[in-house]
Amino acid sequence: MAKKQFKSESKRLLDLMINSIYTHKEIFLREIISNASDAIDKLCFISLTDDKVGLDRGDFKIVLKPDKESRTLTITDNGIGMNKDDLENNLGTIASSGSLKFKQSMEEKQDDIDIIGQFGVGFYSAFMVAKKITVNTKKYGEDTAYCWQSSGADGYTISEIEKENAGTEIILEIKDNTDDENYDEFLEQYRIQGLVKKYSDYIRYPIVMDMTKSRVKEETKDSDKPEYEDYTETVTLNSMIPLWQRRKKDVTQEEYDKFYSEKFMAMDKPLKTIVTSVEGVVTYKALLFIPSVAPYDYYTKEYKKGLQLYSSGVLIMDNCEELLPEHFRFVKGIVDSADLSLNISREMLQHDRHLITIAQNIEKKIKNELTSMLQNDRENYEKFFNAFGRQLKYGVVSDYGMHKKELQDLIMFYSSSEKKLVTLSEYVDRMKEDQKFIYFATGENAAAIDTLPQTELIRSKGYEILYCTEEIDEFTLQSLMTYKEKKFCSAMNDDLGIETEENKEDEENKDALLTFVKETLGDKVAEVTASKKLVSHPVCLTAKGGISFEMEKYFNSVQPDANMKAQRVLELNLSHPAVKKMEEFIKSDVDRAKKYAEVLYSQALLIAGLPLENPSEYTDLVCSIM
């Protein structure tokens, strides 16, 4: 029997495919099972009009048989089988696709015929784990059966054999273990069961395997020392019907919740289940979940975003990052599209026009569902926002603000007047007629912001303040810049856009006091002004220029050597007794007045949450005044 050689391009493809296309060797089982399902599809379709097939839909199956002693794994199907020409065309030329040709010839007769897999490239992935492959096959309607054998790129042989029924039997002779690779795993029944569950759970025909199990011997059940015996049971390894392929009205929320819990190993129930089916330029089904709590590793590098990607029920990728924008990385779920090839790498996915269209549609769908939840289920939306709101704010800031228009109506902040989370739209709708800005204040928590002196004037006018208690908050508002044509203004800014005649008059009459304090403090402050915002407190710090105090704290925490500083403006409440006392001492005791200026500046630093340069010196200063 003469050995036939692969075409030169096929040899190169075989080597490239084994070493490059598939990252994980375990993928081979998915490919062979998909091809078996493909072959059964073809015969099943023929059986609709040909009584001679002699098989009902329930008779079709794929059988797996691992044998540790002979180191073989056998995959058998009772599908359409192959003749000599099929073996030459489908297996002799690696990139050929018998499935594709069959589908093209049949689609005029039946619109909804669905063929998984493309015999060729995927089949040869078996050489990642097998040193030799034998294919015994007989095509339906023909008398002669054939055996195709190959040990890799050297070539293959085809010979006639005896085989009773149509179908294909693929025997993989598993490679011996090496120091780097454990090939024994592909002969272990539970490993094979796990691979079927992972990649081929939704193949529409039963995938069965005889499994050895253990049980208590009947005669020793009531004994103190029961004895065990092994027995063999034929087990169906796959569930066959994907939940997302069923009509939404036929699935209960309890079933969705159970699927979410089992599929994604989640302890929580999803806040929102999104089921979508799209037909058109690209056809796909998606089953998405918005979790109710953030996973423990969500804000770490270890967290993997992405949706599970299937092609007609066969898993292509466990975490397809390309399907989700970063700001919606919290979404879990599945996308299934027949328009995507099984034989596709991550690099190819990034440029696949079908995938790009699906991703764009999914982003719109998620946004619409979140908007609907915000409008119609406020309690659950706030629960969601407490878990993942920070992610939406990161989305506003990232990519130079590219997504801010899509996300600005979804973000929320705690309100000084409402004492709860509010949207920017709700804030603007409540703004007073004379109010110029959307005011916000930063601090560690709401209680700390409540006591900030810088907010006194804003509150006295009855204006609402948004509380920024997370590091990302101020960056988010600065990135937005405006909302509904209203600018954002920090309570820490030197100009709040609120002035009174009294304040102007005080400022004009106190130039000497302000000059004295500035000369005393020197470069510690950029400016000393009469405050336009303080009511009961003596002093506060505000920032001028582009850097705020919160930005200063953040950048210095991540880059201590940068020594980034906001320009400090010391604001004095000229009507406060402490400031008036300092003014008196300027005339009678200059050294004491200077101590007052230093103490007031240190107090302003503490109120702003900024560190004192020398805490010991500050306490000595206070004691000397006392």
Side-chain angles (χ1 to χ4, degrees):
M1 181 177 9
K3 178 175 285 190
K4 299 186 178 183
Q5 296 298 312
F6 292 116
K7 294 179 181 178
S8 58
E9 65 269 20
S10 295
K11 285 185 180 180
R12 291 194 295 270
L13 273 171
L14 177 59
D15 181 67
L16 177 66
M17 188 278 307
I18 290 176
N19 294 298
S20 303
I21 290 182
Y22 294 119
T23 311
H24 305 295
K25 289 179 169 58
E26 65 187 34
I27 211 81
F28 81 94
L29 190 58
R30 179 196 79 175
E31 296 297 320
I32 292 180
I33 288 175
S34 295
N35 291 333
S37 173
D38 175 15
I40 293 174
D41 273 337
K42 294 174 184 177
L43 190 56
C44 188
F45 178 75
I46 291 171
S47 71
L48 296 176
T49 54
D50 186 350
D51 295 336
K52 293 178 183 178
V53 172
L55 295 172
D56 294 326
R57 184 177 178 84
D59 298 324
F60 292 106
K61 63 183 177 180
I62 300 165
V63 181
L64 308 183
K65 184 181 178 182
D67 187 329
K68 290 183 180 180
E69 290 186 11
S70 62
R71 292 191 68 77
T72 60
L73 174 61
T74 303
I75 302 97
T76 305
D77 69 72
N78 54 351
I80 196 167
M82 290 177 281
N83 59 23
K84 189 173 182 179
D85 288 341
D86 293 330
L87 289 171
E88 290 275 9
N89 295 330
N90 295 341
L91 302 189
T93 304
I94 288 178
S96 178
S97 170
S99 306
L100 188 60
K101 292 176 183 176
F102 181 83
K103 185 174 183 179
Q104 289 170 344
S105 68
M106 288 295 184
E107 53 189 15
E108 290 182 8
K109 301 178 183 178
Q110 174 116 349
D111 292 337
D112 62 351
I113 185 166
D114 184 15
I115 300 297
I116 299 175
Q118 298 184 357
F119 227 128
V121 174
F123 169 79
Y124 277 82
S125 64
F127 279 111
M128 292 189 289
V129 301
K131 56 188 176 184
K132 182 179 180 181
I133 300 176
T134 301
V135 179
N136 298 320
T137 183
K138 183 179 181 181
K139 188 165 187 175
Y140 171 72
E142 300 193 9
D143 297 326
T144 308
Y146 296 92
C147 173
W148 180 98
Q149 281 190 329
S150 175
S151 297
D154 288 342
Y156 61 93
T157 61
I158 298 177
S159 59
E160 292 186 11
I161 60 169
E162 294 294 323
K163 191 176 187 303
E164 185 176 351
N165 299 317
T168 301
E169 175 188 65
I170 298 176
I171 304 168
L172 308 180
E173 293 186 28
I174 302 299
K175 293 178 181 179
D176 297 322
N177 291 338
T178 66
D179 291 339
D180 299 323
E181 299 288 349
N182 173 30
Y183 292 102
D184 286 351
E185 63 176 311
F186 302 116
L187 297 167
E188 296 289 343
Q189 62 178 17
Y190 288 107
R191 174 67 167 138
I192 293 169
Q193 183 184 37
L195 291 178
V196 171
K197 193 73 179 172
K198 179 178 181 180
Y199 291 106
S200 308
D201 196 35
Y202 305 115
I203 292 291
R204 74 188 107 228
Y205 307 104
I207 303 169
V208 301
M209 181 172 70
D210 287 344
M211 295 189 68
T212 301
K213 298 185 177 182
S214 183
R215 65 188 172 195
V216 177
K217 287 184 177 180
E218 188 69 31
E219 62 270 21
T220 66
K221 272 189 175 180
D222 299 325
S223 170
D224 292 338
K225 295 182 179 179
E227 296 179 17
Y228 292 84
E229 63 180 357
D230 289 340
Y231 70 100
T232 301
E233 180 182 354
T234 301
V235 178
T236 299
L237 305 178
N238 58 323
S239 61
M240 288 180 276
I241 303 174
L243 196 68
W244 59 86
Q245 294 288 4
R246 293 160 59 185
R247 292 182 302 178
K248 186 177 179 181
K249 66 178 183 178
D250 295 334
V251 185
T252 66
Q253 187 59 50
E254 288 73 20
E255 288 177 296
Y256 283 132
D257 291 349
K258 183 180 179 184
F259 178 85
Y260 167 76
S261 176
E262 291 177 352
K263 192 72 175 176
F264 304 106
M265 294 179 288
M267 301 299 290
D268 62 313
K269 286 186 178 182
L271 273 180
K272 188 81 174 175
T273 302
I274 305 171
V275 184
T276 182
S277 179
V278 175
E279 294 183 6
V281 178
V282 60
T283 299
Y284 68 92
K285 293 180 185 292
L287 176 57
L288 311 175
F289 300 96
I290 297 176
S292 55
V293 297
Y296 71 94
D297 62 343
Y298 182 71
Y299 289 105
T300 69
K301 292 180 180 178
E302 285 68 36
Y303 179 80
K304 292 183 179 180
K305 77 161 187 176
L307 304 176
Q308 289 191 339
L309 181 61
Y310 286 78
S311 175
S312 298
V314 180
L315 181 67
I316 295 178
M317 197 170 296
D318 217 10
N319 294 96
C320 184
E321 297 182 3
E322 290 77 14
L323 283 170
L324 282 179
E326 187 66 18
H327 46 271
F328 290 154
R329 72 199 297 261
F330 48 82
V331 175
K332 297 284 188 183
I334 282 161
V335 171
D336 191 345
S337 174
D339 294 331
L340 297 170
S341 169
L342 283 176
N343 304 311
I344 192 165
S345 68
R346 184 173 289 279
E347 290 73 23
M348 294 161 69
L349 275 175
Q350 291 174 348
H351 306 288
D352 188 281
R353 62 185 180 85
H354 292 305
L355 195 82
I356 293 169
T357 301
I358 293 171
Q360 290 170 343
N361 290 348
I362 284 175
E363 181 177 8
K364 291 177 185 174
K365 184 68 176 176
I366 294 170
K367 188 200 168 182
N368 291 341
E369 291 291 337
L370 288 174
T371 302
S372 175
M373 195 194 306
L374 173 60
Q375 294 170 350
N376 305 311
D377 188 3
R378 183 61 171 251
E379 183 179 348
N380 269 335
Y381 187 82
E382 289 187 15
K383 187 176 181 182
F384 152 76
F385 194 82
N386 284 325
F388 300 108
R390 193 190 314 173
Q391 187 66 53
L392 299 184
K393 294 172 184 174
Y394 283 137
V396 171
V397 175
S398 64
D399 297 330
Y400 305 99
M402 278 180 56
H403 314 288
K404 62 184 182 182
K405 287 187 178 178
E406 290 80 18
L407 298 175
Q408 61 184 1
D409 289 317
L410 294 174
I411 60 176
M412 306 179 84
F413 297 89
Y414 185 84
S415 161
S416 62
S417 60
E418 300 300 305
K419 304 299 181 186
K420 64 179 183 180
L421 289 172
V422 300
T423 65
L424 296 178
S425 178
E426 290 165 346
Y427 179 101
V428 171
D429 289 344
R430 286 193 293 268
M431 284 179 65
K432 296 182 180 296
E433 288 186 14
D434 62 340
Q435 187 176 339
K436 293 182 181 179
F437 301 123
I438 300 173
Y439 293 104
F440 67 92
T442 56
E444 289 187 10
N445 50 55
I449 298 175
D450 278 337
T451 61
L452 283 177
Q454 292 94 327
T455 65
E456 281 189 311
L457 184 61
I458 302 173
R459 294 178 195 277
S460 71
K461 292 289 185 180
Y463 298 156
E464 187 175 357
I465 305 171
L466 299 176
Y467 286 10
C468 296
T469 56
E470 294 185 308
E471 287 178 345
I472 189 64
D473 285 353
E474 188 169 359
F475 292 98
T476 302
L477 298 179
Q478 296 239 358
S479 180
L480 287 174
M481 298 175 64
T482 63
Y483 181 81
K484 291 187 177 179
E485 300 180 354
K486 293 288 185 180
K487 290 184 178 180
F488 293 96
C489 178
S490 170
M492 309 296 179
N493 284 0
D494 55 338
D495 183 7
L496 296 178
I498 306 171
E499 295 187 16
T500 64
E501 290 301 318
E502 293 78 12
N503 283 338
K504 284 185 177 180
E505 193 176 311
D506 285 339
E507 191 174 355
E508 290 166 5
N509 296 332
K510 297 298 178 179
D511 287 343
L513 171 63
L514 302 178
T515 301
F516 172 82
V517 175
K518 176 66 177 83
E519 289 175 352
T520 301
L521 298 176
D523 294 337
K524 292 178 181 178
V525 293
E527 195 176 334
V528 180
T529 65
S531 180
K532 301 174 183 179
K533 59 174 70 78
L534 294 173
V535 179
S536 63
H537 293 270
V539 67
C540 73
L541 273 183
T542 53
K544 65 183 296 186
I547 302 174
S548 69
F549 295 139
E550 290 305 309
M551 290 179 179
E552 175 185 320
K553 293 176 206 173
Y554 172 76
F555 285 120
N556 287 332
S557 69
V558 295
Q559 280 186 302
D561 296 336
N563 196 28
M564 185 175 286
K565 276 194 173 184
Q567 292 187 62
R568 289 151 165 70
V569 176
L570 182 67
E571 296 194 14
L572 299 175
N573 180 356
L574 301 182
S575 61
H576 194 278
V579 177
K580 288 186 175 293
K581 181 61 70 173
M582 177 176 62
E583 187 178 14
E584 292 176 14
F585 282 130
I586 291 174
K587 300 171 184 176
S588 61
D589 189 342
V590 174
D591 288 340
R592 195 170 183 84
K594 288 181 178 179
K595 290 180 179 179
Y596 265 68
E598 293 283 0
V599 167
L600 287 171
Y601 172 67
S602 296
Q603 289 176 341
L605 286 173
L606 291 171
I607 292 169
L610 297 167
L612 296 177
E613 293 176 9
N614 192 330
S616 178
E617 184 180 298
Y618 168 68
T619 56
D620 289 344
L621 205 57
V622 172
C623 289
S624 69
I625 293 175
M626 291 171 64

